[in-house]
Amino acid sequence: MFSLWLVGVYSSMASFVSEFCLCSLVSGPNRRPDVVLGVEAGGEEADRLLVTTQGRTVTLYKVSDQKPLGSWTVKQGQTITSPAVYNFATGEYVAVHDNKVLRIWKDDNVNLEKVFKSTLSEDVYHIHSVPNIEPLVLFKKGAIRFLDTLLASPQQEIPDTISEGEVIRWSEVFVDGEQTVLIFIAEIDEDLFIYVNNLKLNSLLRFKLLQEKETSVPVSYTAHFGNPFITLLSLYPSGHVYEVTVPVHQAELAEEQVLSISIRLKLPASSNTAVTILDKTHVAVLGVLTAGQNSAKEYLSIWNTKFQTLQSSKELPQGTSGQLWCSGGRLYVPHGKVLAVIPYHCETSSLATALGKLKDIQDSEIETAPVLNWSSFLENVSGHPLQQSSAAKGETRKSLRTKKNNNVIGELQKTGVEKLLYDCKNADQRCVEEELTSFFSSKPPPDYQVTIGKIATALVSRCKTQSHFYPQRVLIQMVQTSRLSYSSCPDLITLLLDKEDMHLLQFCLHLFPDIPESVTCACLKTVLNISNASLENKNVDLESVLCYIDVGSEDNVDKPADIVQNGFSPALLEEDSCDVQLTQKGNPTEASLTCPVGMKRAALLNAVIITKYSETFLLPHLKDLSAQQVVLFLRYLQYLYLKCSEIVGTNLPGVKVPNINQIIDWMSLLLDAHFTVVVMLPEAKGLLANLHKFVRSQVKLFSELNKIEGSLLELQKTKQQTKDHGLYSIEILELV
């Protein structure tokens, strides 16, 4: 069962980011966690959040700072019954206590007893507030009123909209342009009814939800609006997520309309408690997984509803209250005695993202290769066409004669390829090179891509069994055709690593789009391990390093910094750099501006850095690198990082060079894989200290740039508001 729960994580198009604590939920003498009544947006900024606990307290938080901006409490004996919301129109906060009493206040109000108070005539179920509309008040009997209408006449009569005995279980409001729709679900005797109120049309639609396949009612609901329908998802205790499409613009019918549910997602057998929509194809599910006879584990997971696959899963060992909210790209879950914030990231499902990261190149730089015509290929192989045209019966003798000639040409080509494959396996190297050179210079056959894959496989197989056979020039021609990939000849890169053919390996890293992460790491280890003497005799393309690299003397290249026993050195960093002692003599910044590797090794490392990869698959293989390899690679990445920082556009000159994002990604992956080892190495202390110092300086720089940006925005507003003062005027602009 546990393996079923985790299936699909490997193909992650969605993932969780590091969890952090927003606030503690423990209060009172019993020290038990408070139940969260609601989590709502706390202002125009997505970073402000209102948290209402089931009791007496409303707290406004700045999520990124993890600190409260304000807190308000009703007096003893009163209970907040509807979560506080933010009124986007007035900048005020609204809450309901004791079912009927409205409280409205602002940031500068401290005591809720001294703020605006209004008592309504009926019990309130929930207040909904979204940007660009007045808050909507949903009463427990189903009636809906705008907040300003209620404030004008608090004791107005509120009619019953739902039937006697129905209880509202869930509600949500959607805004699309000028259209505002409020939907809620009511239950009576395990029968479910959907109410859709279109405020623009002033219409109320009622539907019965047919759930013939389930014996119980849902435990959670979520929905999204795609005009003119609302897609409603309901999570049942069985683990099934059902979908129903609810019309919005339908005319009111005299008879009750029934909506049928359809299965959208089948979750593993477990106790699921909450579901929420993240985007059109992803949902987050909170549930309990039974791990054994007497043990259970709570999990938060992201599922792809389109392919019914698990994208990411996170264990919550301290338990939850079964509640889940989503706001501003973050999930909020009461976890143990705290309210946990779990950011998430969802990507559009595509083949490119499934294979790995795409190279950051311009469209004009992409060399498009002709796509293989599989139909014609299968025709040539099987001798039978896949489809027969109905017009074939009316062919003239001339067209039949032309078709016969084409078939003869195809058979000759087929015979030529078979002979070529035979010679690749048996003829001497000179003969093979001559025949393949002639083949590459002639007109390509229809199945050119498949043919090259077969030829490459035959050559590599022979190279592995016959050590004296190695037609390098032909292999280079084959790779440069851009018709060869790793999947069409997987053993080619392995052969190149065994023979330390850095020249051809560099071409493969540049041109192959589907190199697995394990093979990429094997290439990286070989590049870092190869000796300077051996590398000196290798032919390597230096085009990616000639424009920026600054190699020091041969004595300093490819050698680690001098190691002082116990990491002691009299040279200290500045006061703002954690007082870490350096292991390098002289100015650390100047030392880091000298490339730690030679030009050939740098060019090969560049080819590895810009290779496509997926972080999930690459990280485990990076852990196989030795400590010396990690330090050398980190030093080179630091050198590239500093070089990028020297340039205004942060892009290194030249072609096939890493960009700043790729450099930072590799540096982060290396530190994640070897952080403990790197921290313990004396020769790495100076490197880490320099990186820390540089990052802090960059943070300061961007902080100042943000201030400048704010000042420029204020100047822009001032300029827009400035009136024409005539031909001459003196203005004083003060920046605070």
Side-chain angles (χ1 to χ4, degrees), residues 661-686:
N661 291 331
Q662 291 169 330
I663 296 168
I664 293 176
D665 284 348
W666 273 94
M667 197 178 299
S668 301
L669 285 170
L670 275 178
L671 291 175
D672 286 344
H674 295 274
F675 184 75
T676 305
V677 175
V678 172
V679 169
M680 297 299 293
L681 285 176
E683 59 266 35
K685 290 185 179 179

Side-chain angles (χ1 to χ4, degrees), residues 421 424-425 453-463 469:
L421 290 174
C424 288
K425 297 177 181 178
K454 293 179 179 179
I455 294 173
T457 302
L459 292 176
V460 170
S461 298
R462 185 175 177 184
C463 290
F469 181 82

Side-chain angles (χ1 to χ4, degrees), residues 525 528-529 622-632 674 677 681:
K525 292 176 68 174
L528 294 173
N529 275 341
L622 284 178
K623 295 180 180 180
D624 294 335
L625 296 177
S626 65
Q628 289 73 21
Q629 292 170 346
V630 171
V631 172
L632 180 59
H674 295 274
V677 175
L681 285 176

Side-chain angles (χ1 to χ4, degrees), residues 595-641:
C595 185
V597 298
M599 296 183 70
K600 291 185 177 181
R601 198 187 305 273
L604 294 171
L605 289 175
N606 286 351
V608 173
I609 294 172
I610 64 177
T611 303
K612 301 174 186 177
Y613 66 89
S614 174
E615 293 181 2
T616 305
F617 302 141
L618 183 64
L619 188 60
H621 298 291
L622 284 178
K623 295 180 180 180
D624 294 335
L625 296 177
S626 65
Q628 289 73 21
Q629 292 170 346
V630 171
V631 172
L632 180 59
F633 195 22
L634 275 176
R635 290 172 61 208
Y636 178 65
L637 290 171
Q638 180 201 22
Y639 170 78
L640 292 180
Y641 188 41

Side-chain angles (χ1 to χ4, degrees), residues 123-180:
D123 291 349
V124 174
Y125 173 75
H126 198 90
I127 301 178
H128 292 281
S129 181
V130 294
N132 304 322
I133 67 166
E134 183 74 16
L136 289 169
V137 180
L138 174 62
F139 290 90
K140 290 186 176 181
K141 295 299 183 180
I144 301 171
R145 293 292 185 271
F146 283 108
L147 179 62
D148 56 355
T149 304
L150 285 175
L151 296 179
S153 177
Q155 290 298 313
Q156 62 181 277
E157 183 179 355
I158 306 297
D160 294 348
T161 301
I162 61 179
S163 303
E164 183 69 25
E166 289 186 20
V167 180
I168 298 178
R169 298 301 186 190
W170 172 86
S171 65
E172 189 59 85
V173 64
F174 302 99
V175 178
D176 183 16
E178 298 180 354
Q179 184 172 235
T180 303

Side-chain angles (χ1 to χ4, degrees), residues 262-332:
S262 60
I263 188 71
R264 185 63 184 270
L265 183 65
K266 293 182 178 181
L267 301 178
S270 59
S271 177
N272 298 290
T273 57
V275 62
T276 184
I277 288 179
L278 304 181
D279 61 18
K280 291 182 180 180
T281 57
H282 294 93
V283 297
V285 180
L286 186 65
V288 181
L289 178 67
T290 304
Q293 186 175 3
N294 299 319
S295 62
K297 297 181 180 180
E298 296 193 41
Y299 279 87
L300 178 64
S301 55
I302 298 179
W303 289 81
N304 186 313
T305 56
K306 185 176 182 180
F307 301 109
Q308 296 197 9
T309 55
L310 177 63
Q311 300 291 287
S312 187
S313 182
K314 182 179 183 64
E315 184 179 355
L316 303 174
Q318 298 178 21
T320 71
S321 61
Q323 298 171 293
L324 177 65
W325 294 272
C326 179
S327 178
R330 301 183 180 103
L331 294 171
Y332 297 89

Side-chain angles (χ1 to χ4, degrees), residues 4 29 102 104 119 186 231 377 386 398 537 674-675 726:
L4 288 175
L102 274 174
I104 302 176
T119 303
T231 301
F377 168 66
L386 294 180
K398 183 178 180 180
N537 300 324
H674 295 274
F675 184 75

Side-chain angles (χ1 to χ4, degrees), residues 42-330:
E44 300 286 349
E45 302 176 12
D47 207 28
R48 293 165 64 97
L49 197 76
L50 276 175
V51 178
T52 307
T53 56
Q54 191 173 7
R56 302 166 50 206
T57 305
V58 177
T59 308
L60 175 67
Y61 289 95
K62 185 174 177 61
V63 179
S64 59
D65 292 344
Q66 305 175 45
K67 67 177 183 180
L69 302 178
S71 182
W72 301 272
T73 305
V74 296
K75 70 177 183 180
Q76 189 71 30
Q78 297 175 344
T79 303
I80 298 177
T81 52
S82 179
V85 297
Y86 177 78
N87 188 339
F88 291 89
T90 63
E92 299 172 322
Y93 306 106
V94 185
V96 178
H97 66 80
D98 300 317
N99 296 314
K100 295 182 179 181
V101 183
L102 274 174
R103 292 284 185 177
I104 302 176
W105 71 96
K106 291 188 176 182
D107 286 316
D108 53 358
N109 297 125
V110 178
N111 189 353
L112 285 186
E113 284 302 304
K114 298 181 179 180
V115 303
F116 178 84
K117 173 184 176 182
S118 181
T119 303
L120 307 179
S121 59
E122 293 291 339
D123 291 349
V124 174
Y125 173 75
H126 198 90
I127 301 178
H128 292 281
S129 181
V130 294
N132 304 322
I133 67 166
E134 183 74 16
L136 289 169
V137 180
L138 174 62
F139 290 90
K140 290 186 176 181
K141 295 299 183 180
I144 301 171
R145 293 292 185 271
F146 283 108
L147 179 62
D148 56 355
T149 304
L150 285 175
L151 296 179
S153 177
Q155 290 298 313
Q156 62 181 277
E157 183 179 355
I158 306 297
D160 294 348
T161 301
I162 61 179
S163 303
E164 183 69 25
E166 289 186 20
V167 180
I168 298 178
R169 298 301 186 190
W170 172 86
S171 65
E172 189 59 85
V173 64
F174 302 99
V175 178
D176 183 16
E178 298 180 354
Q179 184 172 235
T180 303
V181 179
L182 191 147
I183 179 175
F184 64 88
I185 296 178
E187 176 190 345
I188 179 172
D189 298 331
E190 294 191 351
D191 289 332
L192 299 176
F193 297 91
I194 303 174
Y195 292 82
V196 180
N197 196 317
N198 192 320
L199 279 72
K200 182 180 180 181
L201 303 178
N202 195 23
S203 65
L204 179 64
L205 304 177
R206 183 177 188 263
F207 307 95
K208 183 175 182 180
L209 190 62
L210 182 63
Q211 44 179 359
E212 55 185 8
K213 299 178 182 179
E214 294 290 337
T215 58
S216 58
V217 296
V219 294
S220 180
Y221 302 92
T222 185
H224 67 85
F225 185 31
N227 200 6
F229 299 102
I230 293 176
T231 301
L232 174 67
L233 299 181
S234 52
L235 173 65
Y236 284 81
S238 62
H240 293 172
V241 177
Y242 286 93
E243 176 185 271
V244 60
T245 302
V246 185
V248 174
H249 302 299
Q250 181 176 311
E252 297 187 30
L253 302 176
E255 297 182 359
E256 183 178 75
Q257 185 175 352
V258 178
L259 299 178
S260 299
I261 59 176
S262 60
I263 188 71
R264 185 63 184 270
L265 183 65
K266 293 182 178 181
L267 301 178
S270 59
S271 177
N272 298 290
T273 57
V275 62
T276 184
I277 288 179
L278 304 181
D279 61 18
K280 291 182 180 180
T281 57
H282 294 93
V283 297
V285 180
L286 186 65
V288 181
L289 178 67
T290 304
Q293 186 175 3
N294 299 319
S295 62
K297 297 181 180 180
E298 296 193 41
Y299 279 87
L300 178 64
S301 55
I302 298 179
W303 289 81
N304 186 313
T305 56
K306 185 176 182 180
F307 301 109
Q308 296 197 9
T309 55
L310 177 63
Q311 300 291 287
S312 187
S313 182
K314 182 179 183 64
E315 184 179 355
L316 303 174
Q318 298 178 21
T320 71
S321 61
Q323 298 171 293
L324 177 65
W325 294 272
C326 179
S327 178
R330 301 183 180 103

